[in-house]
Amino acid sequence: MFGNYLIGLREGLEAGLVVCILVAYLVKTDRRDALKPVWAGVGVACGVSLAFGAALEFGSQELTFEAQELLGGTLSIVAVCLVTWMVFWMRRTARHLRAELHGRLDAALRMGTGALVATAFLAVGREGLETALFVWASVRAAADTAGSSAPLAGVLLGIATAVLLSWLFYRGALRINLARFFTWTGGMLVVVAAGVLAYGVHDLQEARFLGGLADKAFDISATVPPDSWYGTLLKGVFNFQPNPTVLQVTVWALYLVPALTLFLAPVGFGRSVRGGEEQKATDEQAGSGGDGARDGDGAVADGERVRDGARRAGGRTVGDER
């Protein structure tokens, strides 16, 4: 359940941060009339993501067992590729996320209402579709042991937490180091993705698309029973399987070791000690409510300064429009 909670929290907070940046910018620039199209785009993106997830869940039930396993294994691998790209993309571009979104929003404001809806839809929809696919693959991988409701409950709880955190960020009631948060959760998400990838390979083996189903790397089912509390915990967090095949273990190691090594390498948010010190100074300045943050500041400044839009517009927030 923790792994699925992490997915919902991480992906939900990324989407929430994007929405906060868009809304705060419109309030700060006194364009509150453009809030409705932006919220409309966010709503459409959420609806499309939910419809995509429902299509995956209910559409696959009509297939034969082999077809279900083939589809599940293929989409699990696709989901791992997407979430890996997303984790590294966020790590590389988080410093410039606010400036990039502001530029897109300025262009959309000049083009009209339809462009505003499209901008908000694309900004949130990409996160939503990736989340729906990865959540479906992860829930499917964890449901065998943890029960059909626990993984989904973990995802929904994570999304609810992300919504609450995003609201607190916007109101200025919460300040955390978002750069550090995304680094830690990104690393843990890579570990979760490795388990989903191994499960996807197992699906393809059960579908007879890949061989080696009978070649077990080890079997510790007697030591770690799948139905025990600790077996359920390991399954829910890491998608651990007590009797994996040789191919599963090989793919898991070939993905996890290089992906985690590259992700934790000292690049991206800070390429040197000096860069790290500059980022720290920027974080402290943003936390004190100063106006010195530049468009190229990090994700911390984005998260902590979204409240500035409401403050400069007279202390009102988006909720005041309702």
Side-chain angles (χ1 to χ4, degrees), residues 143-232:
D144 291 346
T145 303
S148 58
S149 60
L152 184 58
V155 172
L156 294 177
L157 184 59
I159 293 176
T161 304
V163 171
L164 176 61
L165 290 177
S166 299
W167 181 77
L168 291 175
F169 287 151
Y170 183 81
R171 297 300 299 267
L174 180 66
R175 295 197 303 266
I176 65 173
N177 190 321
L178 286 177
R180 184 174 300 173
F181 170 83
F182 281 124
T183 298
W184 280 99
T185 56
M188 289 187 287
L189 203 56
V190 169
V191 176
V192 173
V196 173
L197 179 61
Y199 189 87
V201 169
H202 184 264
D203 279 350
L204 294 179
Q205 289 179 308
E206 288 194 327
R208 310 303 177 186
F209 184 79
L210 296 176
L213 184 61
D215 298 331
K216 301 296 182 181
F218 54 83
D219 190 347
I220 56 174
S221 300
T223 305
V224 186
D227 56 350
S228 63
W229 69 268
Y230 47 91
T232 301

Side-chain angles (χ1 to χ4, degrees), residues 60-216:
S60 61
Q61 295 179 1
E62 304 298 325
L63 303 175
T64 63
F65 173 77
E66 288 78 10
Q68 285 183 4
E69 298 302 298
L70 181 60
L71 176 64
T74 302
L75 291 182
S76 293
I77 294 173
V78 172
V80 169
C81 293
L82 287 175
V83 80
T84 304
W85 173 83
M86 176 272 302
V87 166
F88 279 91
W89 175 85
M90 189 65 180
R91 181 172 181 265
R92 185 180 66 254
T93 62
R95 291 173 60 89
H96 313 287
L97 179 62
R98 182 164 62 94
E100 180 181 341
L101 289 174
H102 286 179
R104 293 181 182 178
L105 201 54
D106 284 335
L109 286 169
R110 292 191 295 267
M111 295 175 66
T113 302
L116 285 171
V117 175
T119 299
F121 171 78
L122 292 175
V124 178
R126 181 179 61 84
E127 298 286 347
L129 292 176
E130 289 177 358
T131 302
L133 180 56
F134 193 67
V135 163
W136 178 81
S138 181
V139 168
R140 188 173 183 275
D144 291 346
T145 303
S148 58
S149 60
L152 184 58
V155 172
L156 294 177
L157 184 59
I159 293 176
T161 304
V163 171
L164 176 61
L165 290 177
S166 299
W167 181 77
L168 291 175
F169 287 151
Y170 183 81
R171 297 300 299 267
L174 180 66
R175 295 197 303 266
I176 65 173
N177 190 321
L178 286 177
R180 184 174 300 173
F181 170 83
F182 281 124
T183 298
W184 280 99
T185 56
M188 289 187 287
L189 203 56
V190 169
V191 176
V192 173
V196 173
L197 179 61
Y199 189 87
V201 169
H202 184 264
D203 279 350
L204 294 179
Q205 289 179 308
E206 288 194 327
R208 310 303 177 186
F209 184 79
L210 296 176
L213 184 61
D215 298 331
K216 301 296 182 181

